[in-house]
Amino acid sequence: MCSSPKSSRAVNKTAINFNNELTQEQRLRFAAKANLAQERREQREATNRRYELKHLSNKSSHGLFSWLQQLVS
């Protein structure tokens, strides 16, 4: 199609190779941050699972009668 926009510049599609471009110190810092992020992610997922299991029984009834019972208690 003639009306579609076309780029006049070539795109460089080289992938970043961390092993060659980072120094040993940078690799160690990167790995430490990645490990901490993974640990936080696992802790968050475990907490979310515990929360869902704990509150699973509360989601069973949402009717007017259950609402009134909660209001009175």
Side-chain angles (χ1 to χ4, degrees), residues 3-71:
S3 63
S4 62
K6 303 206 174 23
S7 175
S8 62
R9 296 168 38 179
V11 177
N12 187 4
K13 294 184 180 181
T14 59
I16 297 174
N17 190 353
F18 284 106
N19 293 332
N20 295 337
E21 296 182 7
L22 297 178
T23 65
Q24 181 67 23
E25 181 182 332
Q26 290 172 328
R27 272 188 236 127
L28 290 174
R29 276 189 285 151
F30 181 85
K33 284 185 181 182
N35 290 339
L36 284 174
Q38 180 65 31
E39 289 175 15
R40 287 192 306 265
R41 187 178 306 113
E42 290 170 356
Q43 289 173 354
R44 185 178 65 244
E45 289 172 354
T47 302
N48 289 343
R49 280 192 298 272
R50 284 194 309 269
Y51 179 84
E52 287 178 6
L53 288 174
K54 183 177 179 181
H55 293 91
L56 185 62
S57 62
N58 294 345
K59 296 180 180 180
S60 61
S61 60
H62 293 295
L64 178 63
F65 185 69
S66 64
W67 180 76
L68 286 173
Q69 280 182 327
Q70 290 176 359
L71 187 65

